[in-house]
Amino acid sequence: MALALQGQQALNQWRQDGLADFLWRKPGKLVVYRNAHKFSKAAQSVSSPQQEQVLTPVECAQVEPAFAGLAPTLAGGIFSPDDEVADCYLFCQALLKSLQKSREFQLVKGDATLEDDQGGRCRLRINGTVWQTDLVVLAAGLASRELMQPLGQRLPLYGLKGYSLTVQADPAVLPDVSVTDYDNRVVYARLGDRLRIAAMVDIGALNASPDPRRLASLKHLAEETLPAAGPYASATTWAGMRPATPTGVPLVERTQWRNLLLNVGHGALGFTLSCGSALTIRDLVEEMQP
Ligand SMILES: Cc1cc2nc3c(=O)[nH]c(=O)nc-3n(C[C@H](O)[C@H](O)[C@H](O)COP(=O)(O)OP(=O)(O)OC[C@H]3O[C@@H](n4cnc5c(N)ncnc54)[C@H](O)[C@@H]3O)c2cc1C
C-alpha cells in the first residue's frame, strides 16, 4: 500500500513536470459485490469512509450509470474516489520519450544474460556482448528466474496467467469510473474511447499462450455484464503472466552481488507499484554511491 501511495505521489509530480499522453485520469474505482456476505465483510473492513464510500446498489448505479443494469443483482459496492487509471503501454512510451531527451540515455535492445564475475559482481551480456556497467537493475518479469540461474540463485517467482479484452466503443456507452465485479474477479477500465476488461488467474501456467476457452468465457461474461459496450466477438485479446512472489511482496532490493539490484515480483500490481518501486531503486542506488 505504501509503495502504491508513494508511486501515486511521484506520478503526480512527473505529470506536473510534463509527462503526458498516457490517458491518465482519476475517475475513482467502484468495486461491486453480488454476494451479500462478501459485501458485508468488505464494508466492515473500510477504515477511511472518505477514501472508501460504502454504497447501496442504487448509489452504485448513480456513481456509474453504465452499470445501472446490474443494480438488481448487487448487494452493494465500495467506491474509492482517488483511484487513478492510465494506459501502461502509453506510459512506457511517454517515459521513454522523456528519457531520450537526456544525452546520457541509451536504449539497447537485445537478449540479456547475467554471469558471475567471481569478484562479487555480476557481468551483463546483451546479444552475447559484455557491457561495462556500474549497476544492473534486473526487471525482466518472470524471465528474471532464468536470468538469475547462471548466478546460482533461485528467485521465488511464479506466473499467474491473466487475460484481457479491449474493445473500441461509442464513448457514450463506456463507463467513466473503473469498475471491479468482485464476485467474478473482472475489472472494467476505460482508456480513452476503449474499454479494457481484465480477469482470471491461471496458477501454474507455463507460458502466456491464450487458452481460447478462457477467452470465450470472458467474452460471454462481459456480454452479460455490459452488453452496450459490445459486441465482444471482435475484441482484441491478450494473455500475460503476472510475476508473483509467494508472499505477494515484490522483491525490490539489493543482492549479494554488489552491482545487482532486483525489481521483480509485482504480481497483479506491476503498473500500480511501478513508480513507487522506481523510487525505492533510486534510494538504493543513492545508498550505494561511494
Ligand atoms: C490480464 C492482466 C491484467 C493486469 N492488470 C493490471 C492492472 O490493472 N494494474 C497493475 O498494476 N498491474 C496489472 N497487471 C500486472 C502487470 O502487468 C505486471 O505486474 C507487470 O507487467 C510486471 O512488470 P515487469 O516489468 O516486472 O514484467 P513484464 O511486464 O513481464 O516485463 C518484463 C520485460 O523484460 C523483458 N525481458 C525478459 N527477459 C529478457 C531478457 N533476457 N533480455 C532482455 N529483456 C528481457 C520482456 O521482454 C519484458 O519486456 C496485469 C497483468 C495481467 C496479465
PDB file of all heavy atoms in Angstrom, residues 105-131:
ATOM      1  N   PHE A 105      21.300   9.076 -21.903  1.00  0.00           N
ATOM      2  CA  PHE A 105      20.445   7.887 -22.015  1.00  0.00           C
ATOM      3  C   PHE A 105      20.722   7.124 -23.307  1.00  0.00           C
ATOM      4  O   PHE A 105      20.887   7.710 -24.366  1.00  0.00           O
ATOM      5  CB  PHE A 105      18.967   8.300 -21.979  1.00  0.00           C
ATOM      6  CG  PHE A 105      18.023   7.141 -22.139  1.00  0.00           C
ATOM      7  CD1 PHE A 105      17.752   6.307 -21.067  1.00  0.00           C
ATOM      8  CD2 PHE A 105      17.431   6.863 -23.364  1.00  0.00           C
ATOM      9  CE1 PHE A 105      16.891   5.221 -21.208  1.00  0.00           C
ATOM     10  CE2 PHE A 105      16.568   5.780 -23.515  1.00  0.00           C
ATOM     11  CZ  PHE A 105      16.303   4.966 -22.436  1.00  0.00           C
ATOM     12  N   GLN A 106      20.768   5.804 -23.188  1.00  0.00           N
ATOM     13  CA  GLN A 106      20.926   4.976 -24.377  1.00  0.00           C
ATOM     14  C   GLN A 106      20.027   3.753 -24.243  1.00  0.00           C
ATOM     15  O   GLN A 106      20.043   3.085 -23.198  1.00  0.00           O
ATOM     16  CB  GLN A 106      22.387   4.523 -24.495  1.00  0.00           C
ATOM     17  CG  GLN A 106      22.697   3.857 -25.813  1.00  0.00           C
ATOM     18  CD  GLN A 106      24.134   3.333 -25.860  1.00  0.00           C
ATOM     19  OE1 GLN A 106      24.893   3.481 -24.904  1.00  0.00           O
ATOM     20  NE2 GLN A 106      24.493   2.706 -26.948  1.00  0.00           N
ATOM     21  N   LEU A 107      19.242   3.472 -25.255  1.00  0.00           N
ATOM     22  CA  LEU A 107      18.386   2.283 -25.238  1.00  0.00           C
ATOM     23  C   LEU A 107      19.067   1.197 -26.064  1.00  0.00           C
ATOM     24  O   LEU A 107      19.347   1.392 -27.240  1.00  0.00           O
ATOM     25  CB  LEU A 107      17.014   2.615 -25.843  1.00  0.00           C
ATOM     26  CG  LEU A 107      16.056   1.437 -26.003  1.00  0.00           C
ATOM     27  CD1 LEU A 107      15.627   0.888 -24.644  1.00  0.00           C
ATOM     28  CD2 LEU A 107      14.820   1.851 -26.805  1.00  0.00           C
ATOM     29  N   VAL A 108      19.362   0.068 -25.416  1.00  0.00           N
ATOM     30  CA  VAL A 108      19.994  -1.041 -26.131  1.00  0.00           C
ATOM     31  C   VAL A 108      18.992  -2.182 -26.163  1.00  0.00           C
ATOM     32  O   VAL A 108      18.558  -2.654 -25.116  1.00  0.00           O
ATOM     33  CB  VAL A 108      21.279  -1.511 -25.402  1.00  0.00           C
ATOM     34  CG1 VAL A 108      21.951  -2.630 -26.186  1.00  0.00           C
ATOM     35  CG2 VAL A 108      22.221  -0.349 -25.181  1.00  0.00           C
ATOM     36  N   LYS A 109      18.605  -2.592 -27.354  1.00  0.00           N
ATOM     37  CA  LYS A 109      17.627  -3.681 -27.448  1.00  0.00           C
ATOM     38  C   LYS A 109      18.359  -4.998 -27.655  1.00  0.00           C
ATOM     39  O   LYS A 109      19.345  -5.046 -28.386  1.00  0.00           O
ATOM     40  CB  LYS A 109      16.682  -3.423 -28.619  1.00  0.00           C
ATOM     41  CG  LYS A 109      15.804  -2.208 -28.408  1.00  0.00           C
ATOM     42  CD  LYS A 109      14.810  -2.069 -29.531  1.00  0.00           C
ATOM     43  CE  LYS A 109      13.939  -0.851 -29.303  1.00  0.00           C
ATOM     44  NZ  LYS A 109      13.014  -0.602 -30.396  1.00  0.00           N
ATOM     45  N   GLY A 110      17.889  -6.057 -27.027  1.00  0.00           N
ATOM     46  CA  GLY A 110      18.526  -7.352 -27.244  1.00  0.00           C
ATOM     47  C   GLY A 110      18.226  -8.308 -26.118  1.00  0.00           C
ATOM     48  O   GLY A 110      17.490  -7.986 -25.180  1.00  0.00           O
ATOM     49  N   ASP A 111      18.826  -9.479 -26.223  1.00  0.00           N
ATOM     50  CA  ASP A 111      18.601 -10.540 -25.254  1.00  0.00           C
ATOM     51  C   ASP A 111      19.690 -10.456 -24.184  1.00  0.00           C
ATOM     52  O   ASP A 111      20.873 -10.609 -24.494  1.00  0.00           O
ATOM     53  CB  ASP A 111      18.682 -11.873 -26.011  1.00  0.00           C
ATOM     54  CG  ASP A 111      17.880 -12.925 -25.321  1.00  0.00           C
ATOM     55  OD1 ASP A 111      17.173 -12.585 -24.350  1.00  0.00           O
ATOM     56  OD2 ASP A 111      17.973 -14.092 -25.745  1.00  0.00           O
ATOM     57  N   ALA A 112      19.303 -10.205 -22.951  1.00  0.00           N
ATOM     58  CA  ALA A 112      20.294 -10.024 -21.884  1.00  0.00           C
ATOM     59  C   ALA A 112      20.534 -11.325 -21.128  1.00  0.00           C
ATOM     60  O   ALA A 112      19.622 -12.139 -20.963  1.00  0.00           O
ATOM     61  CB  ALA A 112      19.804  -8.950 -20.924  1.00  0.00           C
ATOM     62  N   THR A 113      21.768 -11.508 -20.685  1.00  0.00           N
ATOM     63  CA  THR A 113      22.095 -12.615 -19.773  1.00  0.00           C
ATOM     64  C   THR A 113      23.014 -12.066 -18.689  1.00  0.00           C
ATOM     65  O   THR A 113      23.661 -11.034 -18.881  1.00  0.00           O
ATOM     66  CB  THR A 113      22.815 -13.778 -20.495  1.00  0.00           C
ATOM     67  OG1 THR A 113      23.936 -13.245 -21.205  1.00  0.00           O
ATOM     68  CG2 THR A 113      21.897 -14.508 -21.458  1.00  0.00           C
ATOM     69  N   LEU A 114      23.055 -12.775 -17.557  1.00  0.00           N
ATOM     70  CA  LEU A 114      23.926 -12.367 -16.454  1.00  0.00           C
ATOM     71  C   LEU A 114      24.894 -13.490 -16.137  1.00  0.00           C
ATOM     72  O   LEU A 114      24.562 -14.664 -16.305  1.00  0.00           O
ATOM     73  CB  LEU A 114      23.088 -12.076 -15.194  1.00  0.00           C
ATOM     74  CG  LEU A 114      22.127 -10.890 -15.257  1.00  0.00           C
ATOM     75  CD1 LEU A 114      21.303 -10.823 -13.976  1.00  0.00           C
ATOM     76  CD2 LEU A 114      22.893  -9.583 -15.456  1.00  0.00           C
ATOM     77  N   GLU A 115      26.078 -13.132 -15.673  1.00  0.00           N
ATOM     78  CA  GLU A 115      27.022 -14.154 -15.207  1.00  0.00           C
ATOM     79  C   GLU A 115      27.819 -13.607 -14.030  1.00  0.00           C
ATOM     80  O   GLU A 115      27.881 -12.388 -13.833  1.00  0.00           O
ATOM     81  CB  GLU A 115      27.941 -14.610 -16.349  1.00  0.00           C
ATOM     82  CG  GLU A 115      28.626 -13.475 -17.056  1.00  0.00           C
ATOM     83  CD  GLU A 115      29.104 -13.869 -18.454  1.00  0.00           C
ATOM     84  OE1 GLU A 115      28.270 -14.190 -19.323  1.00  0.00           O
ATOM     85  OE2 GLU A 115      30.319 -13.832 -18.654  1.00  0.00           O
ATOM     86  N   ASP A 116      28.384 -14.533 -13.262  1.00  0.00           N
ATOM     87  CA  ASP A 116      29.152 -14.165 -12.073  1.00  0.00           C
ATOM     88  C   ASP A 116      30.580 -13.836 -12.501  1.00  0.00           C
ATOM     89  O   ASP A 116      31.194 -14.623 -13.223  1.00  0.00           O
ATOM     90  CB  ASP A 116      29.146 -15.381 -11.122  1.00  0.00           C
ATOM     91  CG  ASP A 116      29.530 -14.994  -9.716  1.00  0.00           C
ATOM     92  OD1 ASP A 116      30.340 -14.051  -9.568  1.00  0.00           O
ATOM     93  OD2 ASP A 116      29.026 -15.625  -8.781  1.00  0.00           O
ATOM     94  N   ASP A 117      31.102 -12.671 -12.074  1.00  0.00           N
ATOM     95  CA  ASP A 117      32.490 -12.363 -12.473  1.00  0.00           C
ATOM     96  C   ASP A 117      33.491 -12.888 -11.445  1.00  0.00           C
ATOM     97  O   ASP A 117      34.681 -12.594 -11.527  1.00  0.00           O
ATOM     98  CB  ASP A 117      32.667 -10.853 -12.723  1.00  0.00           C
ATOM     99  CG  ASP A 117      32.850 -10.063 -11.433  1.00  0.00           C
ATOM    100  OD1 ASP A 117      32.611 -10.622 -10.331  1.00  0.00           O
ATOM    101  OD2 ASP A 117      33.235  -8.890 -11.517  1.00  0.00           O
ATOM    102  N   GLN A 118      32.986 -13.639 -10.453  1.00  0.00           N
ATOM    103  CA  GLN A 118      33.802 -14.276  -9.402  1.00  0.00           C
ATOM    104  C   GLN A 118      34.453 -13.260  -8.469  1.00  0.00           C
ATOM    105  O   GLN A 118      35.250 -13.628  -7.616  1.00  0.00           O
ATOM    106  CB  GLN A 118      34.907 -15.186 -10.008  1.00  0.00           C
ATOM    107  CG  GLN A 118      34.392 -16.242 -10.982  1.00  0.00           C
ATOM    108  CD  GLN A 118      33.423 -17.231 -10.342  1.00  0.00           C
ATOM    109  OE1 GLN A 118      33.513 -17.505  -9.150  1.00  0.00           O
ATOM    110  NE2 GLN A 118      32.487 -17.730 -11.115  1.00  0.00           N
ATOM    111  N   GLY A 119      34.092 -11.985  -8.620  1.00  0.00           N
ATOM    112  CA  GLY A 119      34.668 -10.968  -7.730  1.00  0.00           C
ATOM    113  C   GLY A 119      33.581 -10.266  -6.934  1.00  0.00           C
ATOM    114  O   GLY A 119      33.760  -9.122  -6.514  1.00  0.00           O
ATOM    115  N   GLY A 120      32.425 -10.917  -6.789  1.00  0.00           N
ATOM    116  CA  GLY A 120      31.328 -10.321  -6.022  1.00  0.00           C
ATOM    117  C   GLY A 120      30.443  -9.417  -6.859  1.00  0.00           C
ATOM    118  O   GLY A 120      29.569  -8.732  -6.343  1.00  0.00           O
ATOM    119  N   ARG A 121      30.698  -9.400  -8.159  1.00  0.00           N
ATOM    120  CA  ARG A 121      29.870  -8.585  -9.051  1.00  0.00           C
ATOM    121  C   ARG A 121      29.294  -9.486 -10.146  1.00  0.00           C
ATOM    122  O   ARG A 121      29.768 -10.597 -10.355  1.00  0.00           O
ATOM    123  CB  ARG A 121      30.722  -7.472  -9.689  1.00  0.00           C
ATOM    124  CG  ARG A 121      31.252  -6.466  -8.677  1.00  0.00           C
ATOM    125  CD  ARG A 121      32.304  -5.564  -9.301  1.00  0.00           C
ATOM    126  NE  ARG A 121      31.778  -4.780 -10.399  1.00  0.00           N
ATOM    127  CZ  ARG A 121      31.179  -3.605 -10.271  1.00  0.00           C
ATOM    128  NH1 ARG A 121      31.026  -3.064  -9.074  1.00  0.00           N
ATOM    129  NH2 ARG A 121      30.738  -2.951 -11.311  1.00  0.00           N
ATOM    130  N   CYS A 122      28.279  -8.966 -10.844  1.00  0.00           N
ATOM    131  CA  CYS A 122      27.768  -9.735 -11.979  1.00  0.00           C
ATOM    132  C   CYS A 122      28.146  -9.018 -13.267  1.00  0.00           C
ATOM    133  O   CYS A 122      28.448  -7.826 -13.267  1.00  0.00           O
ATOM    134  CB  CYS A 122      26.260  -9.931 -11.878  1.00  0.00           C
ATOM    135  SG  CYS A 122      25.329  -8.464 -12.266  1.00  0.00           S
ATOM    136  N   ARG A 123      28.148  -9.781 -14.336  1.00  0.00           N
ATOM    137  CA  ARG A 123      28.507  -9.236 -15.643  1.00  0.00           C
ATOM    138  C   ARG A 123      27.270  -9.330 -16.539  1.00  0.00           C
ATOM    139  O   ARG A 123      26.559 -10.339 -16.506  1.00  0.00           O
ATOM    140  CB  ARG A 123      29.640 -10.087 -16.223  1.00  0.00           C
ATOM    141  CG  ARG A 123      30.493  -9.378 -17.235  1.00  0.00           C
ATOM    142  CD  ARG A 123      31.568 -10.290 -17.790  1.00  0.00           C
ATOM    143  NE  ARG A 123      32.650 -10.581 -16.867  1.00  0.00           N
ATOM    144  CZ  ARG A 123      33.069 -11.815 -16.563  1.00  0.00           C
ATOM    145  NH1 ARG A 123      32.492 -12.876 -17.098  1.00  0.00           N
ATOM    146  NH2 ARG A 123      34.064 -12.008 -15.726  1.00  0.00           N
ATOM    147  N   LEU A 124      27.031  -8.272 -17.310  1.00  0.00           N
ATOM    148  CA  LEU A 124      25.861  -8.239 -18.196  1.00  0.00           C
ATOM    149  C   LEU A 124      26.291  -8.444 -19.646  1.00  0.00           C
ATOM    150  O   LEU A 124      27.222  -7.787 -20.120  1.00  0.00           O
ATOM    151  CB  LEU A 124      25.169  -6.870 -18.069  1.00  0.00           C
ATOM    152  CG  LEU A 124      24.071  -6.544 -19.076  1.00  0.00           C
ATOM    153  CD1 LEU A 124      22.814  -7.376 -18.818  1.00  0.00           C
ATOM    154  CD2 LEU A 124      23.724  -5.058 -19.025  1.00  0.00           C
ATOM    155  N   ARG A 125      25.619  -9.359 -20.310  1.00  0.00           N
ATOM    156  CA  ARG A 125      25.828  -9.517 -21.762  1.00  0.00           C
ATOM    157  C   ARG A 125      24.526  -9.188 -22.463  1.00  0.00           C
ATOM    158  O   ARG A 125      23.452  -9.587 -22.002  1.00  0.00           O
ATOM    159  CB  ARG A 125      26.166 -10.971 -22.117  1.00  0.00           C
ATOM    160  CG  ARG A 125      27.594 -11.341 -21.915  1.00  0.00           C
ATOM    161  CD  ARG A 125      27.840 -12.777 -22.382  1.00  0.00           C
ATOM    162  NE  ARG A 125      29.076 -13.249 -21.819  1.00  0.00           N
ATOM    163  CZ  ARG A 125      30.266 -13.086 -22.403  1.00  0.00           C
ATOM    164  NH1 ARG A 125      30.354 -12.506 -23.582  1.00  0.00           N
ATOM    165  NH2 ARG A 125      31.360 -13.515 -21.812  1.00  0.00           N
ATOM    166  N   ILE A 126      24.629  -8.492 -23.593  1.00  0.00           N
ATOM    167  CA  ILE A 126      23.442  -8.279 -24.427  1.00  0.00           C
ATOM    168  C   ILE A 126      23.778  -8.800 -25.813  1.00  0.00           C
ATOM    169  O   ILE A 126      24.780  -8.383 -26.412  1.00  0.00           O
ATOM    170  CB  ILE A 126      23.030  -6.793 -24.471  1.00  0.00           C
ATOM    171  CG1 ILE A 126      22.729  -6.303 -23.050  1.00  0.00           C
ATOM    172  CG2 ILE A 126      21.807  -6.604 -25.375  1.00  0.00           C
ATOM    173  CD1 ILE A 126      22.375  -4.846 -22.939  1.00  0.00           C
ATOM    174  N   ASN A 127      22.964  -9.731 -26.266  1.00  0.00           N
ATOM    175  CA  ASN A 127      23.225 -10.427 -27.535  1.00  0.00           C
ATOM    176  C   ASN A 127      24.664 -10.936 -27.589  1.00  0.00           C
ATOM    177  O   ASN A 127      25.345 -10.817 -28.613  1.00  0.00           O
ATOM    178  CB  ASN A 127      22.933  -9.510 -28.731  1.00  0.00           C
ATOM    179  CG  ASN A 127      21.449  -9.233 -28.860  1.00  0.00           C
ATOM    180  OD1 ASN A 127      20.627  -9.991 -28.349  1.00  0.00           O
ATOM    181  ND2 ASN A 127      21.097  -8.144 -29.514  1.00  0.00           N
ATOM    182  N   GLY A 128      25.146 -11.442 -26.464  1.00  0.00           N
ATOM    183  CA  GLY A 128      26.469 -12.064 -26.423  1.00  0.00           C
ATOM    184  C   GLY A 128      27.614 -11.107 -26.138  1.00  0.00           C
ATOM    185  O   GLY A 128      28.726 -11.540 -25.855  1.00  0.00           O
ATOM    186  N   THR A 129      27.368  -9.797 -26.205  1.00  0.00           N
ATOM    187  CA  THR A 129      28.445  -8.822 -25.988  1.00  0.00           C
ATOM    188  C   THR A 129      28.425  -8.330 -24.541  1.00  0.00           C
ATOM    189  O   THR A 129      27.367  -7.936 -24.037  1.00  0.00           O
ATOM    190  CB  THR A 129      28.259  -7.603 -26.929  1.00  0.00           C
ATOM    191  OG1 THR A 129      28.228  -8.093 -28.259  1.00  0.00           O
ATOM    192  CG2 THR A 129      29.375  -6.585 -26.764  1.00  0.00           C
ATOM    193  N   VAL A 130      29.590  -8.341 -23.888  1.00  0.00           N
ATOM    194  CA  VAL A 130      29.664  -7.865 -22.499  1.00  0.00           C
ATOM    195  C   VAL A 130      29.558  -6.345 -22.477  1.00  0.00           C
ATOM    196  O   VAL A 130      30.192  -5.654 -23.278  1.00  0.00           O
ATOM    197  CB  VAL A 130      30.995  -8.306 -21.846  1.00  0.00           C
ATOM    198  CG1 VAL A 130      31.152  -7.658 -20.466  1.00  0.00           C
ATOM    199  CG2 VAL A 130      31.063  -9.817 -21.721  1.00  0.00           C
ATOM    200  N   TRP A 131      28.712  -5.844 -21.558  1.00  0.00           N
ATOM    201  CA  TRP A 131      28.560  -4.395 -21.385  1.00  0.00           C
ATOM    202  C   TRP A 131      29.192  -3.976 -20.075  1.00  0.00           C
ATOM    203  O   TRP A 131      28.923  -4.566 -19.032  1.00  0.00           O
ATOM    204  CB  TRP A 131      27.068  -4.020 -21.391  1.00  0.00           C
ATOM    205  CG  TRP A 131      26.554  -3.953 -22.786  1.00  0.00           C
ATOM    206  CD1 TRP A 131      26.305  -5.007 -23.607  1.00  0.00           C
ATOM    207  CD2 TRP A 131      26.291  -2.771 -23.538  1.00  0.00           C
ATOM    208  NE1 TRP A 131      25.890  -4.571 -24.836  1.00  0.00           N
ATOM    209  CE2 TRP A 131      25.867  -3.197 -24.820  1.00  0.00           C
ATOM    210  CE3 TRP A 131      26.358  -1.407 -23.271  1.00  0.00           C
ATOM    211  CZ2 TRP A 131      25.525  -2.299 -25.825  1.00  0.00           C
ATOM    212  CZ3 TRP A 131      26.004  -0.517 -24.271  1.00  0.00           C
ATOM    213  CH2 TRP A 131      25.603  -0.959 -25.530  1.00  0.00           C
TER     214      TRP A 131
END
